Amino acid sequence: MDRMPEASPFAAHWPLDPAVDYLNHGSFGACPTAVLEAQSALRLEMEREPVDFHWRTLPARLRVAREALAAFVGARADDLAFVPNATAGVNAVLRSLRLAPGDELLTTDHAYGACRRALEFVAGRSGARVVVAAVPFPLRSEDEIVEPLLAAAGPRTRLALVDHVTSPTALVFPVARLVRELAARGVDTLVDGAHAVGMLPLALDALGAAYYTSNAHKWLCAPKGSAFLHVRRDRQAGLHPLGISHDYDPGGGRFRQEFDWTGTCDPTPWLALPECLRFVGGLLPGGWPEVMARNRALALRGRDLLCAAFGSAPLAPDALLGALACVALPSAASAFEPEDLRDRCRRAGIETWLMRSPDGALTAVRISAQLYNHEEQYTRLGRCLLEALARG
């Protein structure tokens, strides 16, 4: 990739503080001003006539938004339900399962903490148990992801919760292979794709996972509170939202309708999705494929700059990375708490994320790449962390 200019030409489209190098898009995303303005217009319309908006026009508006999203993720619109975040999507699936004592829920030690807690909660109230497959980090190939999971799947495994992009370690799991090979063992897969939509091309019908959930507020850059749950048609019966309301059907025959209305809420994050898809995809001539490719290339470049600064090797092959990457810090970082280093970076005007590897053996910095970022920001991050380690 060619060297990027000191300031991204796209930064003006986001209302981010220009005094902060915002390298943590992966945590909460960031929404462009134009999309926020579209959402504000929707909110104003809603408050001018709330009954008309919620009662008479909302179903049609949701259908338009769902159809736009369905076309983007390669799915049938009626198989998509809107949820406020991927954690809610994961919980809706897990809490709709009917588990028996001795049943097993499978995941990995790279799973997102909130989802791991949801597994433990659901298993604990039914006498089931959570089985955690250890995936190495650093790792050399996708086989080191697939083999531990398959080895841990047994005759009592009811469901595997698998990340598409791991939040703590920034790995792109080979979900198509995992879904296929787990299905061959009679195991359904719930894919936690919280980071995936807008970062990676999706074709959910072709993927064939029983369940897939993702946040639109992250790499799609939609407003906060915008996410979706995709459920394969043969798994929709008996699946219900966390909030039971007017359209509840004990048999689950009204899957999408139940999710469309769980009580009064602000639906404008979902309704703004068509504008979000249009605006962000329109920033580059190649549309969303070019947005994804540009962000991934910048993340790899940022990783390489930090590896050179720290004298460390990449933690994973390029093929297992998207627009997030983790870089191991020098061994001196083991004397610091990740929160301390994060706070030092923030005081220096850099927002980033640091964590320990699943086995606790190393401290790593996780970087994000979005259109508003540029190469020099990663160089500044490297200098800041090295100075913090040197000062002690």
Side-chain angles (χ1 to χ4, degrees):
M1 187 179 75
D2 295 337
R3 286 189 62 83
M4 299 184 68
E6 166 64 17
S8 167
F10 304 104
H13 294 296
W14 273 263
L16 291 165
D17 185 347
V20 176
D21 288 337
Y22 195 75
L23 299 177
N24 193 15
H25 187 90
S27 281
F28 298 105
C31 189
T33 301
V35 179
L36 291 171
E37 290 173 347
Q39 183 192 20
S40 293
L42 286 165
R43 278 184 172 147
L44 181 59
E45 185 179 352
M46 175 175 64
E47 296 302 338
R48 280 175 174 162
E49 226 291 26
V51 171
D52 188 63
F53 190 95
H54 283 285
W55 195 352
R56 299 185 181 94
T57 72
L58 184 57
R61 293 171 186 263
L62 288 172
R63 184 172 61 251
V64 169
R66 185 166 32 248
E67 288 173 350
L69 178 63
F72 187 74
V73 301
R76 194 179 76 123
D78 278 345
D79 297 337
L80 290 174
F82 287 125
V83 290
N85 48 65
T87 301
V90 166
N91 273 270
V93 173
L94 294 179
R95 297 176 76 169
S96 294
L97 296 176
R98 296 183 178 181
L99 299 173
D103 283 346
E104 295 176 351
L105 298 172
L106 174 61
T107 192
T108 77
D109 56 352
H110 294 242
Y112 185 57
C115 297
R116 176 77 174 269
R117 300 296 181 275
L119 287 169
E120 293 166 352
F121 172 80
V122 169
R125 69 178 184 176
S126 60
R129 71 186 190 103
V130 179
V131 176
V132 181
V135 172
F137 189 70
L139 81 172
R140 296 165 295 180
S141 72
E142 69 175 46
D143 289 342
E144 293 183 299
I145 300 169
V146 175
E147 290 169 2
L149 263 167
L150 297 183
R156 297 299 301 271
T157 304
R158 289 288 313 280
L159 183 79
L161 172 63
V162 173
D163 292 82
H164 198 162
V165 182
T166 63
S167 181
T169 48
L171 299 173
V172 178
F173 275 17
V175 292
R177 181 179 170 188
L178 287 168
V179 167
R180 183 175 64 251
E181 299 206 27
L182 286 165
R185 290 161 171 77
V187 178
D188 276 350
T189 303
L190 164 57
V191 180
D192 177 6
H195 289 273
V197 66
M199 180 194 291
L200 306 170
L202 297 181
L204 297 185
D205 281 349
L207 177 65
Y211 315 98
Y212 191 105
T213 188
S214 188
N215 287 318
H217 71 258
K218 289 184 184 281
W219 301 95
L220 210 59
C221 298
K224 310 296 182 288
S226 180
F228 71 85
L229 172 65
H230 177 266
V231 180
R232 206 172 62 205
R233 266 166 275 181
D234 65 326
R235 292 295 184 266
Q236 290 174 12
L239 194 145
H240 305 285
L242 296 177
I244 300 301
S245 191
H246 295 286
D247 286 312
Y248 168 66
D249 180 347
R254 295 172 62 82
F255 159 72
R256 183 187 51 71
Q257 292 92 334
E258 283 193 48
F259 278 86
D260 273 1
W261 186 265
T262 58
T264 303
C265 70
D266 180 358
T268 61
W270 304 323
L271 301 184
L273 277 171
E275 174 60 16
C276 183
L277 289 165
R278 184 202 67 79
F279 178 79
V280 179
L283 291 175
L284 290 172
W288 274 101
E290 188 176 356
V291 171
M292 296 179 198
R294 187 183 189 278
N295 287 340
R296 180 175 183 273
L298 181 57
L300 292 174
R301 177 60 179 156
R303 178 207 60 182
D304 291 345
L305 287 168
L306 290 172
C307 282
F310 303 150
S312 60
L315 296 172
D318 290 4
L320 298 180
L321 297 177
L324 282 171
C326 277
V327 181
L329 270 65
S331 58
S334 62
F336 296 80
E337 289 299 322
E339 292 83 358
D340 179 33
L341 291 173
R342 286 200 299 265
D343 290 345
R344 293 190 189 202
C345 288
R346 185 60 183 82
R347 289 195 294 271
I350 302 172
E351 191 70 72
T352 191
W353 185 256
L354 289 99
M355 32 60 75
R356 298 209 191 277
S357 59
D359 63 3
L362 59 86
T363 302
V365 58
R366 189 193 72 180
I367 57 169
S368 302
Q370 188 48 268
L371 293 180
Y372 53 76
N373 292 126
H374 59 89
E375 188 175 302
E376 179 59 26
Q377 292 176 317
Y378 305 100
T379 300
R380 288 198 286 265
L381 171 62
R383 286 199 300 264
C384 179
L385 286 169
L386 289 174
E387 290 170 3
L389 296 178
R391 287 196 299 268

